[in-house]
Amino acid sequence: LTRPDAARDMKDAAHLSDLGIAVEGDVTYDRERIAAHAKNLANRVKGNLENSLIALGVDVVEGRGVLTGNANEVKDEATGKVYTAKDIILAPGSIPFVPPGITVDEKTVFTSDGALELPYVPEWVAIIGSGYIGLEFSDVYTALGSEVTFIEAMPMLMPTFDREIAKMAERMLIRDRPIDYRTNVFASEVTPGIPGEKPVTIKMIDANTKEHVETLEVDAAMVATGRVPNTANMGLESMGIETQRGFVAVNKKMQVLTKHEDGEVVPGVWCIGDANGKMMLAHAASAQGISAIENIAGREHAVDHDAIPAACFTHPEIAMVGPTEEQCIERAEKEGWTLGKSQGNFRANSKALAEGEGNGIAKVLFNKDTGKVVAVHIIGIHAADLIQECSNAVAAGTTVQELSMMVHTHPTLSEVLDEAFKGAVGMSSH
């Protein structure tokens, strides 16, 4: 009774067709329609944003802006026209990082940008890197029938994730799927192939000894080794701005500094988003943009990056806010407070069981001395939606005592968090 939407979705042939899915006896998919749906969605969102700007009276100039070296000036590199402004916000974003030795042709060896085009579905794809992007695309490729091999430079998969969550993710997202992996190795040389004719060749070396350990031949390789700031050739040097690995230094107000160590404020210049390296997420960039405008308007504001949630859009999802448990342990020891931990389980949740999604946990880490929530890590169905309540709690300084007495709707997935909050103060939710 909780899933009539599933029946409706399967009967909605037109909607499924738009997504590239056909139900004619067997469930199949149309690669071109899936790719077109993704492209159309991106273009629609982009168009809506542009229309919103225009409706607000913002002049939108298509071009590439560079600093001229003169205060309050930006030049359009294409036309040479110079624009003046009291304040300039740098928001160039980032581009995929391609390590040395890897040749990208965006056909058989591609970055996440090229993967979104989905020109074909390879039978066997190697994914170099096992962070957010790599994990999400492994989810997509295995759903479409591909076999996946992860190539990870660190000793363990998902190296930036909370360790307990990473172990559960390996069990839920990797172990039962056509995925294998190599860890503690670098893809030292990657040579493109020809689809259907010549394989991609990947030479791997040991991360410690740098000795050759294996050569793989696969149908395609995706480079998911992170992103780097898109700040090259922006004229930063003309304003005395030094970068570190391309990242622009900013203070808590998002004002640009001349350098990362003991830098001075560059008057009228601000930097938000991936280019400052504070937190490389779209919603973090948005929050920083709002903060910068507040400060420009004279209303002092600083973004609390510890309260910004993040999510990995796999099936099921992974979401988190605040430090990992390992980082919390270090912080507690350094700052002299006691770390508490409580857990809610999807297997005890009525809605999750009705959905057939009983795997997963919600882990709440809190300061025992004050009761304040420090971090939350979730793996399970709709984790990306559930994390917002936790993010709000971190931002507001809400205690587990207060959260434990807040009522959650039944039957909903949010009760997984209710179980964790009540458990933190010795209560039971059942």
Side-chain angles (χ1 to χ4, degrees), residues 75-88:
K75 182 174 72 174
D76 183 346
E77 194 175 50
T79 64
K81 184 176 180 179
V82 175
Y83 297 86
T84 59
K86 179 177 176 291
D87 291 277
I88 298 167

Side-chain angles (χ1 to χ4, degrees), residues 261-307:
E261 295 293 332
D262 301 320
E264 298 178 358
V265 171
V266 180
V269 183
W270 314 71
C271 182
I272 64 168
D274 289 3
N276 67 35
K278 294 284 187 183
M279 202 172 196
M280 298 177 80
L281 297 168
H283 48 282
S286 179
Q288 291 171 6
I290 293 169
S291 185
I293 293 298
E294 287 294 294
N295 286 307
I296 287 171
R299 297 183 292 268
E300 190 167 321
H301 183 268
V303 175
D304 180 3
H305 290 90
D306 275 348

Side-chain angles (χ1 to χ4, degrees), residues 382-410:
H382 295 309
D385 297 306
L386 293 173
I387 200 65
Q388 191 59 53
E389 175 181 1
C390 309
S391 173
N392 293 347
V394 174
T398 312
T399 67
V400 288
Q401 288 81 6
E402 292 168 325
L403 291 164
S404 69
M405 299 305 293
M406 294 181 181
V407 180
H408 292 71
T409 309
H410 176 79

